[in-house]
Amino acid sequence: ETNMPRNTNSSSETPYGGHPFPNKLYTLLCQAQEAGDTSIVHWSPCGAGFRVVDQNAFMEHVAPHYWSFRQYSSFVRQLHLYSFRKQNSGPLTGYFVMPGFQRDRPDLIRHMVRYGDKKTRINQGLTGPVQMPAGAAMNTQAPPARMSMRIAAPATTAPTMQFSTMDNVPMRQEPCCSPAFE
């Protein structure tokens, strides 16, 4: 058994506004950090993403206290519905990243949209993939366009996130998980 604190919120509570899934995920990650237990799941050093270190332990000891699903693939499917993407290269390799989900920024959670929810897409006028904001450039290594983020990478510094969700919520401006953070 893990020593991570358990969620004491009811399944319908959304302390940061928005949908329950990102609220519970944020709470879980903050509680793991406060408990000092990073052996199962933890934030990236700069707080721009998170990693599930031990999938089996996560599904056995952590997820049941927050969600009803029992398969890791169901957890990943939920992440994808909220536009989280697992990074395959760069300083965040292996971390799940979504521009509007950052450590120490619970205020961003209320802007998160569940893209698999057809009713939400229709109500927000989203009939296809979310388009990039005007003037935003997409790096070929970046997540899909519906994440609406731009990564600026000067030759001498690590990438900095400058754009977030379609709501244009400001992002962290410090270098994102450069080797200095590791």
Side-chain angles (χ1 to χ4, degrees):
E1 177 111 358
T2 178
N3 65 353
M4 287 182 54
R6 294 184 175 150
N7 182 22
T8 57
N9 297 331
S10 73
S11 62
S12 63
E13 283 189 56
T14 55
Y16 307 112
H19 296 271
F21 179 81
N23 272 268
K24 290 178 182 183
L25 180 59
Y26 187 85
T27 299
L28 175 158
L29 289 164
C30 290
Q31 288 177 345
Q33 180 179 347
E34 288 170 12
D37 187 348
T38 60
S39 63
I40 297 175
V41 61
H42 62 86
W43 286 105
S44 65
C46 66
F50 73 95
R51 176 184 289 175
V52 176
V53 179
D54 185 338
Q55 294 177 13
N56 293 330
F58 180 77
M59 293 311 298
E60 184 177 338
H61 301 291
V62 179
H65 300 289
Y66 294 87
W67 302 288
S68 60
F69 47 78
R70 298 291 178 250
Q71 300 294 319
Y72 186 73
S73 60
S74 298
F75 173 70
V76 172
R77 184 172 26 258
Q78 285 294 313
L79 291 173
H80 289 165
L81 289 173
Y82 286 94
S83 297
F84 284 89
R85 294 295 178 256
K86 191 170 188 178
Q87 299 300 291
N88 296 322
S89 62
L92 290 173
T93 299
Y95 286 88
F96 285 99
V97 176
M98 194 287 186
F101 189 82
Q102 302 172 27
R103 182 181 61 218
D104 303 325
R105 292 296 311 272
D107 58 301
L108 298 179
I109 294 173
R110 73 179 189 284
H111 298 287
M112 294 179 71
V113 176
R114 186 176 188 266
Y115 288 100
D117 185 347
K118 186 175 182 180
K119 192 179 215 179
T120 300
R121 294 176 68 87
I122 290 170
N123 288 342
Q124 294 195 5
L126 305 171
T127 56
V130 176
Q131 299 298 312
M132 296 285 289
M138 188 66 140
N139 183 321
T140 58
Q141 298 299 318
R146 72 178 178 175
M147 294 199 49
S148 301
M149 68 182 243
R150 177 176 65 182
I151 298 194
T156 58
T157 63
T160 57
M161 303 232 181
Q162 296 182 347
F163 241 81
S164 66
T165 65
M166 60 189 192
D167 297 316
N168 296 331
V169 177
M171 295 290 295
R172 292 182 178 276
Q173 297 299 315
E174 75 266 13
C176 182
C177 295
S178 65
F181 283 101
E182 297 295 332

Short mmCIF file of all heavy atoms in Angstrom, two decimals, residues 67-121:
data_model
loop_
_atom_site.label_atom_id
_atom_site.label_comp_id
_atom_site.label_asym_id
_atom_site.label_seq_id
_atom_site.Cartn_x
_atom_site.Cartn_y
_atom_site.Cartn_z
N TRP A 67 -11.27 7.44 -9.11
CA TRP A 67 -12.13 7.11 -10.26
C TRP A 67 -12.64 5.68 -10.17
O TRP A 67 -12.09 4.85 -9.46
CB TRP A 67 -11.33 7.28 -11.56
CG TRP A 67 -10.80 8.66 -11.73
CD1 TRP A 67 -11.51 9.79 -12.03
CD2 TRP A 67 -9.43 9.08 -11.62
NE1 TRP A 67 -10.67 10.87 -12.10
CE2 TRP A 67 -9.39 10.46 -11.86
CE3 TRP A 67 -8.24 8.41 -11.35
CZ2 TRP A 67 -8.21 11.19 -11.83
CZ3 TRP A 67 -7.07 9.13 -11.32
CH2 TRP A 67 -7.06 10.51 -11.55
N SER A 68 -13.67 5.38 -10.98
CA SER A 68 -14.26 4.04 -10.96
C SER A 68 -13.60 3.09 -11.95
O SER A 68 -13.76 1.88 -11.83
CB SER A 68 -15.76 4.12 -11.25
OG SER A 68 -15.97 4.69 -12.52
N PHE A 69 -12.88 3.60 -12.94
CA PHE A 69 -12.27 2.69 -13.91
C PHE A 69 -11.12 1.92 -13.29
O PHE A 69 -10.49 2.37 -12.35
CB PHE A 69 -11.84 3.41 -15.19
CG PHE A 69 -11.07 4.68 -14.99
CD1 PHE A 69 -9.73 4.67 -14.65
CD2 PHE A 69 -11.70 5.91 -15.15
CE1 PHE A 69 -9.03 5.84 -14.47
CE2 PHE A 69 -11.00 7.09 -14.96
CZ PHE A 69 -9.67 7.04 -14.63
N ARG A 70 -10.85 0.73 -13.87
CA ARG A 70 -9.84 -0.16 -13.30
C ARG A 70 -8.69 -0.48 -14.26
O ARG A 70 -7.74 -1.15 -13.89
CB ARG A 70 -10.49 -1.49 -12.85
CG ARG A 70 -11.54 -1.31 -11.76
CD ARG A 70 -10.88 -0.90 -10.46
NE ARG A 70 -11.87 -0.69 -9.40
CZ ARG A 70 -12.17 0.50 -8.89
NH1 ARG A 70 -11.58 1.58 -9.32
NH2 ARG A 70 -13.06 0.61 -7.93
N GLN A 71 -8.79 -0.01 -15.48
CA GLN A 71 -7.76 -0.28 -16.48
C GLN A 71 -6.94 1.00 -16.74
O GLN A 71 -7.52 2.08 -16.88
CB GLN A 71 -8.37 -0.76 -17.80
CG GLN A 71 -9.18 -2.03 -17.68
CD GLN A 71 -8.31 -3.21 -17.31
OE1 GLN A 71 -7.20 -3.35 -17.82
NE2 GLN A 71 -8.79 -4.05 -16.41
N TYR A 72 -5.65 0.84 -16.86
CA TYR A 72 -4.78 1.99 -17.16
C TYR A 72 -5.16 2.62 -18.49
O TYR A 72 -5.14 3.84 -18.64
CB TYR A 72 -3.30 1.57 -17.16
CG TYR A 72 -2.36 2.73 -17.31
CD1 TYR A 72 -2.14 3.62 -16.27
CD2 TYR A 72 -1.69 2.95 -18.51
CE1 TYR A 72 -1.29 4.69 -16.40
CE2 TYR A 72 -0.82 4.02 -18.65
CZ TYR A 72 -0.63 4.90 -17.60
OH TYR A 72 0.22 5.96 -17.74
N SER A 73 -5.57 1.79 -19.45
CA SER A 73 -5.97 2.32 -20.76
C SER A 73 -7.18 3.25 -20.64
O SER A 73 -7.31 4.20 -21.41
CB SER A 73 -6.26 1.17 -21.74
OG SER A 73 -7.31 0.37 -21.25
N SER A 74 -8.06 3.01 -19.67
CA SER A 74 -9.20 3.90 -19.45
C SER A 74 -8.73 5.25 -18.91
O SER A 74 -9.26 6.30 -19.29
CB SER A 74 -10.18 3.28 -18.46
OG SER A 74 -10.70 2.08 -18.98
N PHE A 75 -7.73 5.23 -18.05
CA PHE A 75 -7.14 6.47 -17.54
C PHE A 75 -6.52 7.27 -18.69
O PHE A 75 -6.76 8.47 -18.83
CB PHE A 75 -6.09 6.14 -16.48
CG PHE A 75 -5.30 7.33 -16.00
CD1 PHE A 75 -5.89 8.32 -15.23
CD2 PHE A 75 -3.96 7.45 -16.33
CE1 PHE A 75 -5.15 9.41 -14.78
CE2 PHE A 75 -3.21 8.53 -15.88
CZ PHE A 75 -3.82 9.52 -15.11
N VAL A 76 -5.76 6.59 -19.54
CA VAL A 76 -5.12 7.26 -20.68
C VAL A 76 -6.18 7.81 -21.64
O VAL A 76 -6.05 8.91 -22.17
CB VAL A 76 -4.14 6.31 -21.41
CG1 VAL A 76 -3.62 6.93 -22.70
CG2 VAL A 76 -2.98 5.95 -20.48
N ARG A 77 -7.26 7.06 -21.85
CA ARG A 77 -8.35 7.53 -22.72
C ARG A 77 -8.93 8.84 -22.15
O ARG A 77 -9.18 9.79 -22.90
CB ARG A 77 -9.43 6.46 -22.84
CG ARG A 77 -10.54 6.83 -23.78
CD ARG A 77 -11.54 5.71 -24.07
NE ARG A 77 -11.70 4.70 -23.05
CZ ARG A 77 -11.15 3.48 -23.10
NH1 ARG A 77 -10.38 3.14 -24.12
NH2 ARG A 77 -11.37 2.61 -22.14
N GLN A 78 -9.13 8.91 -20.83
CA GLN A 78 -9.62 10.14 -20.22
C GLN A 78 -8.63 11.29 -20.44
O GLN A 78 -9.03 12.42 -20.74
CB GLN A 78 -9.85 9.95 -18.72
CG GLN A 78 -11.09 9.17 -18.39
CD GLN A 78 -12.35 9.91 -18.78
OE1 GLN A 78 -12.52 11.10 -18.51
NE2 GLN A 78 -13.24 9.19 -19.45
N LEU A 79 -7.35 11.00 -20.28
CA LEU A 79 -6.34 12.04 -20.53
C LEU A 79 -6.45 12.57 -21.95
O LEU A 79 -6.42 13.79 -22.18
CB LEU A 79 -4.93 11.48 -20.29
CG LEU A 79 -4.57 11.15 -18.85
CD1 LEU A 79 -3.21 10.45 -18.80
CD2 LEU A 79 -4.56 12.40 -17.99
N HIS A 80 -6.60 11.68 -22.91
CA HIS A 80 -6.69 12.10 -24.32
C HIS A 80 -7.95 12.92 -24.58
O HIS A 80 -7.93 13.85 -25.38
CB HIS A 80 -6.64 10.89 -25.24
CG HIS A 80 -5.28 10.27 -25.29
ND1 HIS A 80 -5.06 9.02 -25.81
CD2 HIS A 80 -4.07 10.70 -24.87
CE1 HIS A 80 -3.79 8.72 -25.71
NE2 HIS A 80 -3.16 9.73 -25.15
N LEU A 81 -9.06 12.60 -23.89
CA LEU A 81 -10.29 13.38 -24.06
C LEU A 81 -10.11 14.83 -23.59
O LEU A 81 -10.81 15.72 -24.05
CB LEU A 81 -11.44 12.73 -23.30
CG LEU A 81 -11.97 11.43 -23.89
CD1 LEU A 81 -12.98 10.78 -22.96
CD2 LEU A 81 -12.57 11.66 -25.27
N TYR A 82 -9.17 15.04 -22.70
CA TYR A 82 -8.86 16.39 -22.21
C TYR A 82 -7.61 16.96 -22.89
O TYR A 82 -7.01 17.91 -22.41
CB TYR A 82 -8.68 16.40 -20.69
CG TYR A 82 -10.01 16.27 -19.98
CD1 TYR A 82 -10.48 15.04 -19.58
CD2 TYR A 82 -10.79 17.40 -19.74
CE1 TYR A 82 -11.71 14.92 -18.94
CE2 TYR A 82 -12.02 17.29 -19.10
CZ TYR A 82 -12.47 16.05 -18.71
OH TYR A 82 -13.69 15.92 -18.08
N SER A 83 -7.19 16.36 -23.97
CA SER A 83 -6.06 16.83 -24.81
C SER A 83 -4.69 16.66 -24.17
O SER A 83 -3.74 17.31 -24.59
CB SER A 83 -6.24 18.29 -25.23
OG SER A 83 -7.38 18.41 -26.03
N PHE A 84 -4.55 15.80 -23.17
CA PHE A 84 -3.22 15.47 -22.66
C PHE A 84 -2.54 14.60 -23.72
O PHE A 84 -3.18 13.75 -24.34
CB PHE A 84 -3.30 14.65 -21.37
CG PHE A 84 -3.64 15.46 -20.16
CD1 PHE A 84 -4.95 15.65 -19.79
CD2 PHE A 84 -2.63 16.02 -19.38
CE1 PHE A 84 -5.28 16.39 -18.65
CE2 PHE A 84 -2.95 16.75 -18.24
CZ PHE A 84 -4.28 16.94 -17.89
N ARG A 85 -1.25 14.79 -23.90
CA ARG A 85 -0.48 13.97 -24.81
C ARG A 85 0.80 13.55 -24.12
O ARG A 85 1.43 14.35 -23.41
CB ARG A 85 -0.14 14.72 -26.11
CG ARG A 85 -1.37 15.05 -26.95
CD ARG A 85 -2.04 13.79 -27.46
NE ARG A 85 -3.24 14.06 -28.22
CZ ARG A 85 -4.48 13.90 -27.78
NH1 ARG A 85 -4.70 13.49 -26.55
NH2 ARG A 85 -5.51 14.15 -28.55
N LYS A 86 1.20 12.31 -24.34
CA LYS A 86 2.45 11.81 -23.76
C LYS A 86 3.58 12.22 -24.69
O LYS A 86 3.54 11.94 -25.89
CB LYS A 86 2.41 10.29 -23.60
CG LYS A 86 3.55 9.75 -22.78
CD LYS A 86 3.33 8.29 -22.45
CE LYS A 86 4.38 7.80 -21.47
NZ LYS A 86 4.12 6.39 -21.10
N GLN A 87 4.56 12.89 -24.13
CA GLN A 87 5.67 13.39 -24.94
C GLN A 87 6.66 12.27 -25.25
O GLN A 87 7.01 11.49 -24.38
CB GLN A 87 6.39 14.52 -24.18
CG GLN A 87 5.49 15.70 -23.90
CD GLN A 87 4.94 16.32 -25.15
OE1 GLN A 87 5.66 16.92 -25.93
NE2 GLN A 87 3.64 16.16 -25.37
N ASN A 88 7.07 12.20 -26.50
CA ASN A 88 7.98 11.15 -26.96
C ASN A 88 9.39 11.65 -27.19
O ASN A 88 10.28 10.86 -27.52
CB ASN A 88 7.44 10.51 -28.24
CG ASN A 88 6.13 9.81 -28.01
OD1 ASN A 88 5.94 9.18 -26.97
ND2 ASN A 88 5.22 9.92 -28.95
N SER A 89 9.61 12.94 -27.04
CA SER A 89 10.96 13.48 -27.23
C SER A 89 11.09 14.77 -26.43
O SER A 89 10.11 15.32 -25.96
CB SER A 89 11.22 13.77 -28.72
OG SER A 89 10.31 14.74 -29.19
N GLY A 90 12.31 15.22 -26.28
CA GLY A 90 12.57 16.46 -25.56
C GLY A 90 12.67 16.25 -24.06
O GLY A 90 12.65 15.13 -23.56
N PRO A 91 12.76 17.35 -23.32
CA PRO A 91 12.97 17.26 -21.87
C PRO A 91 11.78 16.67 -21.12
O PRO A 91 11.92 16.25 -19.98
CB PRO A 91 13.23 18.71 -21.44
CG PRO A 91 12.66 19.54 -22.54
CD PRO A 91 12.76 18.73 -23.79
N LEU A 92 10.60 16.64 -21.73
CA LEU A 92 9.42 16.07 -21.08
C LEU A 92 9.08 14.67 -21.58
O LEU A 92 7.95 14.21 -21.44
CB LEU A 92 8.22 17.00 -21.27
CG LEU A 92 8.28 18.31 -20.49
CD1 LEU A 92 7.15 19.24 -20.88
CD2 LEU A 92 8.27 18.06 -19.01
N THR A 93 10.05 13.97 -22.14
CA THR A 93 9.81 12.62 -22.64
C THR A 93 9.25 11.75 -21.53
O THR A 93 9.78 11.71 -20.42
CB THR A 93 11.12 11.99 -23.18
OG1 THR A 93 11.58 12.80 -24.26
CG2 THR A 93 10.90 10.57 -23.66
N GLY A 94 8.12 11.08 -21.84
CA GLY A 94 7.48 10.20 -20.87
C GLY A 94 6.46 10.88 -19.99
O GLY A 94 5.75 10.22 -19.23
N TYR A 95 6.35 12.20 -20.06
CA TYR A 95 5.39 12.95 -19.26
C TYR A 95 4.13 13.23 -20.08
O TYR A 95 4.20 13.47 -21.28
CB TYR A 95 5.98 14.29 -18.81
CG TYR A 95 6.99 14.17 -17.71
CD1 TYR A 95 8.34 13.98 -18.01
CD2 TYR A 95 6.62 14.25 -16.38
CE1 TYR A 95 9.28 13.86 -17.00
CE2 TYR A 95 7.55 14.14 -15.36
CZ TYR A 95 8.88 13.94 -15.68
OH TYR A 95 9.81 13.83 -14.67
N PHE A 96 2.97 13.22 -19.41
CA PHE A 96 1.73 13.66 -20.02
C PHE A 96 1.67 15.17 -19.87
O PHE A 96 1.87 15.70 -18.77
CB PHE A 96 0.51 13.02 -19.35
CG PHE A 96 0.32 11.58 -19.70
CD1 PHE A 96 0.75 10.59 -18.85
CD2 PHE A 96 -0.28 11.22 -20.90
CE1 PHE A 96 0.58 9.25 -19.16
CE2 PHE A 96 -0.46 9.89 -21.24
CZ PHE A 96 -0.03 8.90 -20.36
N VAL A 97 1.37 15.86 -20.96
CA VAL A 97 1.39 17.33 -20.99
C VAL A 97 0.09 17.84 -21.59
O VAL A 97 -0.41 17.29 -22.57
CB VAL A 97 2.59 17.83 -21.81
CG1 VAL A 97 2.57 19.34 -21.94
CG2 VAL A 97 3.89 17.37 -21.20
N MET A 98 -0.44 18.88 -21.00
CA MET A 98 -1.58 19.63 -21.54
C MET A 98 -1.34 21.06 -21.12
O MET A 98 -1.19 21.34 -19.93
CB MET A 98 -2.88 19.08 -20.96
CG MET A 98 -4.14 19.54 -21.68
SD MET A 98 -4.53 21.25 -21.36
CE MET A 98 -6.08 21.38 -22.15
N PRO A 99 -1.26 22.00 -22.06
CA PRO A 99 -0.89 23.37 -21.71
C PRO A 99 -1.73 24.01 -20.61
O PRO A 99 -1.22 24.82 -19.85
CB PRO A 99 -1.06 24.14 -23.03
CG PRO A 99 -0.84 23.11 -24.07
CD PRO A 99 -1.42 21.84 -23.51
N GLY A 100 -2.99 23.68 -20.48
CA GLY A 100 -3.83 24.29 -19.46
C GLY A 100 -3.86 23.52 -18.15
O GLY A 100 -4.77 23.70 -17.35
N PHE A 101 -2.85 22.69 -17.91
CA PHE A 101 -2.79 21.89 -16.69
C PHE A 101 -1.36 21.97 -16.16
O PHE A 101 -0.46 21.35 -16.71
CB PHE A 101 -3.16 20.43 -17.01
CG PHE A 101 -3.33 19.57 -15.79
CD1 PHE A 101 -4.52 19.56 -15.08
CD2 PHE A 101 -2.31 18.74 -15.36
CE1 PHE A 101 -4.69 18.75 -13.98
CE2 PHE A 101 -2.46 17.93 -14.25
CZ PHE A 101 -3.65 17.93 -13.56
N GLN A 102 -1.16 22.79 -15.12
CA GLN A 102 0.18 23.04 -14.60
C GLN A 102 0.17 23.07 -13.08
O GLN A 102 -0.79 23.54 -12.47
CB GLN A 102 0.69 24.39 -15.09
CG GLN A 102 0.73 24.55 -16.58
CD GLN A 102 1.07 25.98 -16.95
OE1 GLN A 102 1.72 26.69 -16.20
NE2 GLN A 102 0.61 26.41 -18.10
N ARG A 103 1.27 22.59 -12.52
CA ARG A 103 1.43 22.66 -11.06
C ARG A 103 1.36 24.14 -10.63
O ARG A 103 1.82 25.03 -11.33
CB ARG A 103 2.79 22.07 -10.67
CG ARG A 103 3.03 22.06 -9.16
CD ARG A 103 4.38 21.51 -8.79
NE ARG A 103 5.43 22.33 -9.38
CZ ARG A 103 6.57 21.83 -9.89
NH1 ARG A 103 6.82 20.55 -9.87
NH2 ARG A 103 7.46 22.65 -10.41
N ASP A 104 0.75 24.38 -9.48
CA ASP A 104 0.61 25.72 -8.91
C ASP A 104 -0.30 26.64 -9.71
O ASP A 104 -0.31 27.85 -9.48
CB ASP A 104 1.98 26.40 -8.72
CG ASP A 104 2.92 25.60 -7.84
OD1 ASP A 104 2.42 24.95 -6.89
OD2 ASP A 104 4.13 25.61 -8.11
N ARG A 105 -1.08 26.08 -10.67
CA ARG A 105 -2.02 26.89 -11.45
C ARG A 105 -3.40 26.23 -11.49
O ARG A 105 -3.92 25.92 -12.56
CB ARG A 105 -1.49 27.07 -12.88
CG ARG A 105 -0.25 27.92 -13.04
CD ARG A 105 -0.45 29.39 -12.64
NE ARG A 105 -1.62 30.04 -13.21
CZ ARG A 105 -1.63 30.66 -14.38
NH1 ARG A 105 -0.56 30.73 -15.12
NH2 ARG A 105 -2.75 31.24 -14.81
N PRO A 106 -4.04 26.02 -10.34
CA PRO A 106 -5.37 25.40 -10.35
C PRO A 106 -6.41 26.26 -11.06
O PRO A 106 -7.43 25.75 -11.50
CB PRO A 106 -5.70 25.21 -8.87
CG PRO A 106 -4.88 26.24 -8.17
CD PRO A 106 -3.60 26.35 -8.98
N ASP A 107 -6.13 27.56 -11.19
CA ASP A 107 -7.06 28.46 -11.86
C ASP A 107 -7.25 28.11 -13.34
O ASP A 107 -8.26 28.46 -13.94
CB ASP A 107 -6.57 29.91 -11.73
CG ASP A 107 -5.17 30.10 -12.30
OD1 ASP A 107 -4.23 29.42 -11.82
OD2 ASP A 107 -5.01 30.91 -13.23
N LEU A 108 -6.31 27.38 -13.93
CA LEU A 108 -6.42 27.01 -15.35
C LEU A 108 -7.39 25.85 -15.58
O LEU A 108 -7.89 25.68 -16.68
CB LEU A 108 -5.04 26.62 -15.90
CG LEU A 108 -3.97 27.70 -15.88
CD1 LEU A 108 -2.66 27.15 -16.43
CD2 LEU A 108 -4.41 28.92 -16.67
N ILE A 109 -7.66 25.08 -14.54
CA ILE A 109 -8.47 23.86 -14.70
C ILE A 109 -9.88 24.18 -15.20
O ILE A 109 -10.43 23.45 -16.01
CB ILE A 109 -8.51 23.06 -13.39
CG1 ILE A 109 -7.10 22.54 -13.09
CG2 ILE A 109 -9.50 21.91 -13.46
CD1 ILE A 109 -6.97 21.87 -11.75
N ARG A 110 -10.44 25.28 -14.78
CA ARG A 110 -11.80 25.60 -15.19
C ARG A 110 -11.93 25.85 -16.69
O ARG A 110 -13.01 25.82 -17.25
CB ARG A 110 -12.34 26.77 -14.38
CG ARG A 110 -11.77 28.11 -14.74
CD ARG A 110 -12.41 29.20 -13.87
NE ARG A 110 -12.08 30.53 -14.28
CZ ARG A 110 -10.92 31.13 -14.06
NH1 ARG A 110 -9.96 30.50 -13.41
NH2 ARG A 110 -10.70 32.36 -14.47
N HIS A 111 -10.81 26.07 -17.36
CA HIS A 111 -10.82 26.31 -18.80
C HIS A 111 -10.72 25.01 -19.62
O HIS A 111 -10.84 25.05 -20.83
CB HIS A 111 -9.65 27.22 -19.20
CG HIS A 111 -9.72 28.58 -18.57
ND1 HIS A 111 -10.62 29.53 -18.97
CD2 HIS A 111 -9.02 29.12 -17.55
CE1 HIS A 111 -10.46 30.62 -18.23
NE2 HIS A 111 -9.49 30.39 -17.35
N MET A 112 -10.49 23.91 -18.94
CA MET A 112 -10.30 22.64 -19.66
C MET A 112 -11.63 22.13 -20.21
O MET A 112 -12.66 22.22 -19.54
CB MET A 112 -9.64 21.60 -18.75
CG MET A 112 -8.23 21.98 -18.37
SD MET A 112 -7.44 20.80 -17.27
CE MET A 112 -7.21 19.43 -18.40
N VAL A 113 -11.58 21.60 -21.42
CA VAL A 113 -12.77 21.10 -22.10
C VAL A 113 -12.56 19.62 -22.41
O VAL A 113 -11.47 19.21 -22.83
CB VAL A 113 -13.01 21.87 -23.42
CG1 VAL A 113 -14.19 21.28 -24.19
CG2 VAL A 113 -13.24 23.34 -23.13
N ARG A 114 -13.58 18.83 -22.20
CA ARG A 114 -13.54 17.40 -22.54
C ARG A 114 -13.96 17.29 -24.00
O ARG A 114 -15.13 17.41 -24.34
CB ARG A 114 -14.48 16.61 -21.63
CG ARG A 114 -14.39 15.13 -21.83
CD ARG A 114 -15.30 14.44 -20.80
NE ARG A 114 -15.11 13.02 -20.82
CZ ARG A 114 -15.86 12.18 -21.54
NH1 ARG A 114 -16.83 12.64 -22.28
NH2 ARG A 114 -15.61 10.89 -21.50
N TYR A 115 -13.00 17.05 -24.88
CA TYR A 115 -13.24 17.08 -26.31
C TYR A 115 -14.03 15.91 -26.84
O TYR A 115 -14.58 15.97 -27.91
CB TYR A 115 -11.92 17.22 -27.08
CG TYR A 115 -11.36 18.59 -26.91
CD1 TYR A 115 -10.35 18.85 -26.00
CD2 TYR A 115 -11.88 19.66 -27.61
CE1 TYR A 115 -9.86 20.13 -25.81
CE2 TYR A 115 -11.41 20.94 -27.44
CZ TYR A 115 -10.39 21.16 -26.54
OH TYR A 115 -9.92 22.43 -26.35
N GLY A 116 -14.15 14.83 -26.09
CA GLY A 116 -14.93 13.70 -26.55
C GLY A 116 -16.41 13.89 -26.31
O GLY A 116 -17.23 13.13 -26.80
N ASP A 117 -16.78 14.93 -25.58
CA ASP A 117 -18.16 15.20 -25.24
C ASP A 117 -18.80 16.00 -26.36
O ASP A 117 -18.56 17.20 -26.50
CB ASP A 117 -18.20 15.97 -23.92
CG ASP A 117 -19.60 16.22 -23.41
OD1 ASP A 117 -20.57 16.01 -24.17
OD2 ASP A 117 -19.72 16.61 -22.24
N LYS A 118 -19.62 15.34 -27.19
CA LYS A 118 -20.20 15.97 -28.36
C LYS A 118 -21.04 17.20 -27.98
O LYS A 118 -21.00 18.22 -28.64
CB LYS A 118 -21.06 14.97 -29.14
CG LYS A 118 -21.58 15.50 -30.44
CD LYS A 118 -22.31 14.43 -31.23
CE LYS A 118 -22.77 14.97 -32.55
NZ LYS A 118 -23.48 13.96 -33.33
N LYS A 119 -21.79 17.10 -26.88
CA LYS A 119 -22.62 18.21 -26.44
C LYS A 119 -21.75 19.43 -26.12
O LYS A 119 -22.08 20.55 -26.49
CB LYS A 119 -23.42 17.78 -25.21
CG LYS A 119 -24.50 18.73 -24.81
CD LYS A 119 -25.23 18.17 -23.59
CE LYS A 119 -26.69 18.51 -23.66
NZ LYS A 119 -27.42 17.96 -22.53
N THR A 120 -20.63 19.23 -25.45
CA THR A 120 -19.71 20.32 -25.13
C THR A 120 -19.17 20.94 -26.40
O THR A 120 -19.12 22.16 -26.54
CB THR A 120 -18.55 19.83 -24.25
OG1 THR A 120 -19.09 19.31 -23.04
CG2 THR A 120 -17.58 20.95 -23.94
N ARG A 121 -18.79 20.08 -27.37
CA ARG A 121 -18.24 20.59 -28.63
C ARG A 121 -19.26 21.44 -29.37
O ARG A 121 -18.95 22.49 -29.90
CB ARG A 121 -17.76 19.44 -29.50
CG ARG A 121 -16.57 18.70 -28.91
CD ARG A 121 -16.22 17.50 -29.78
NE ARG A 121 -15.70 17.93 -31.07
CZ ARG A 121 -14.42 18.22 -31.30
NH1 ARG A 121 -13.54 18.12 -30.34
NH2 ARG A 121 -14.03 18.61 -32.49
#
